[in-house]
Amino acid sequence: MCPHTHSEPQKPEDIVRDEGAQLDFSRDMSYGDYLQLGSILNAQKPLSPAHDEMLFIIQHQTSELWMKLMLHELHAAIAHIAADELQPAFKMLARVSKIMEQLVHAWDVLATMTPPEYSALRPYLAQSSGFQSHQYRCIEFAMGNKNAAMLKPHAHSPERLAVVQAAYEAPSLYDEALRLLARRGIPVPASHTQRDWTQAYEASDAVEQAWLQVYRDPKNHWDLYQLGEELTDLEDTFRLWRFRHVTTVERVIGFKRGTGGTGGVSYLRKMLDVVLFPEIWRLRTAL
């Protein structure tokens, strides 16, 4: 019999060396090339001598990246609901809720900045403010919180204004959900399925009754019932995101006015009272 040969196990450094030897990044795309890391990691340009400005910049840049993904998912989910394709829409809405959870926890990092640390960099921000985020405004509009006044902060940039204007004029996620209910034979008043999409949504007893029909018979309306719960999850996490924003701002700047001219904490607290899908919340009392 031939004796068994036993090879020595490769050391980790040998594996790395062997794998790396097979790649020639003069011809092949690298990790950094694919992710455009040269652009991303050089996009932080602090204006002040303050150490903590890097935290402030990265916090807001990463939030904008998450919001870009959120809009990607929201727009696709709205299109799927409009096409009566609920299964992919559910996956996308669940992903949006998870992104919002990520953004809730992101405030924990910014909250490590103390008032004196923020005060050291605040003069360098001039009038720039998260209030001017066109992506956040598109999210608000896609979720149904329409307000023509919110177009004004983007008037200086025709390209961004066009994007926000399109979101303002389009049916929101909730508008498309109600239109779907109507197509399924659930009585929804025409005032809520054929309306001016630029107007703020007004709650309706008739719409609450429509959702109650779904919730009282989930077996026969299972996908619509699930849609209602996906919307509930979404607004739940959106409220947490807003609340964490308020508490972080109050912790860092107190009740000073915002750099963009808003009332700061007072303005953000008003936003906590906005209910996006009112009938879905109200029906719980009636069940």
Side-chain angles (χ1 to χ4, degrees):
M1 297 179 62
C2 294
H4 293 288
T5 58
H6 298 280
S7 59
E8 291 292 325
Q10 276 190 295
K11 297 178 181 179
E13 57 267 27
D14 294 332
I15 295 172
V16 172
R17 184 169 55 249
D18 291 345
E19 289 294 323
Q22 299 172 20
L23 301 175
D24 181 357
F25 291 116
S26 66
R27 298 191 305 269
D28 297 321
M29 179 176 63
S30 72
Y31 172 81
D33 296 333
Y34 175 69
L35 295 177
Q36 299 290 307
L37 292 182
S39 299
I40 294 173
L41 297 180
N42 286 290
Q44 296 75 46
K45 309 293 184 185
L47 299 177
S48 76
H51 169 82
D52 301 283
E53 189 176 358
M54 185 64 77
L55 161 62
F56 191 82
I57 292 171
I58 290 176
Q59 164 84 21
H60 290 84
Q61 287 182 339
T62 53
S63 294
E64 289 291 336
L65 284 172
W66 282 121
M67 285 191 280
K68 182 173 183 176
L69 178 57
M70 197 186 304
L71 284 168
H72 177 70
E73 300 294 340
L74 272 174
H75 290 157
I78 290 170
H80 278 296
I81 292 170
D84 287 33
E85 298 166 350
L86 289 188
Q87 294 307 314
F90 292 156
K91 176 64 179 289
M92 293 161 181
L93 293 176
R95 183 173 291 165
V96 172
S97 293
K98 290 299 182 181
I99 295 168
M100 287 186 182
E101 287 181 16
Q102 186 79 14
L103 288 166
V104 169
H105 293 299
W107 290 114
D108 296 342
V109 184
L110 191 63
T112 64
M113 181 182 290
T114 63
E117 290 167 349
Y118 177 71
S119 295
L121 66 92
R122 180 175 174 136
Y124 296 85
L125 301 179
Q127 298 299 309
S128 63
S129 166
F131 180 75
Q132 298 150 5
S133 167
H134 79 284
Q135 291 200 122
Y136 179 77
R137 196 57 54 203
C138 286
I139 291 168
E140 285 271 6
F141 287 169
M143 297 278 281
N145 188 21
K146 303 288 185 76
N147 183 344
M150 296 298 100
L151 297 170
K152 294 178 182 177
H154 313 288
H156 67 287
S157 171
E159 182 180 352
R160 290 180 184 173
L161 178 60
V163 172
V164 179
Q165 184 84 36
Y168 175 66
E169 295 174 356
S172 71
L173 172 63
Y174 197 49
D175 289 326
E176 288 295 0
L178 296 184
R179 293 170 83 179
L180 174 64
L181 261 63
R183 289 195 301 274
R184 294 288 188 86
I186 308 292
V188 179
S191 59
H192 284 65
T193 59
Q194 302 170 33
R195 67 187 192 89
D196 180 352
W197 308 124
T198 67
Q199 296 303 302
Y201 182 83
E202 294 185 8
S204 160
D205 290 341
V207 171
E208 182 179 350
Q209 289 302 313
W211 280 112
L212 277 169
Q213 184 174 329
V214 170
Y215 271 72
R216 284 173 174 156
D217 189 9
K219 183 177 180 180
N220 288 317
H221 303 291
W222 185 260
D223 58 350
L224 298 179
Y225 173 70
Q226 187 174 350
L227 175 60
E229 288 303 286
E230 291 288 354
L231 294 175
T232 306
D233 288 342
L234 193 59
E235 182 159 3
D236 199 347
T237 52
F238 199 20
R239 289 179 180 185
L240 291 174
W241 183 20
R242 282 173 164 166
F243 179 76
R244 196 69 185 93
H245 187 183
V246 173
T247 56
T248 302
V249 170
E250 184 173 355
R251 174 174 177 155
V252 175
I253 72 169
F255 286 83
K256 296 184 183 74
R257 291 190 64 80
T259 50
T262 70
V265 169
S266 62
Y267 168 78
L268 293 172
R269 282 187 174 173
K270 290 178 183 176
M271 293 300 99
L272 295 178
D273 294 330
V274 174
V275 181
L276 300 170
F277 317 132
E279 296 88 357
I280 294 180
W281 292 94
R282 290 191 338 196
L283 67 84
R284 277 137 168 90
T285 305
L287 285 173

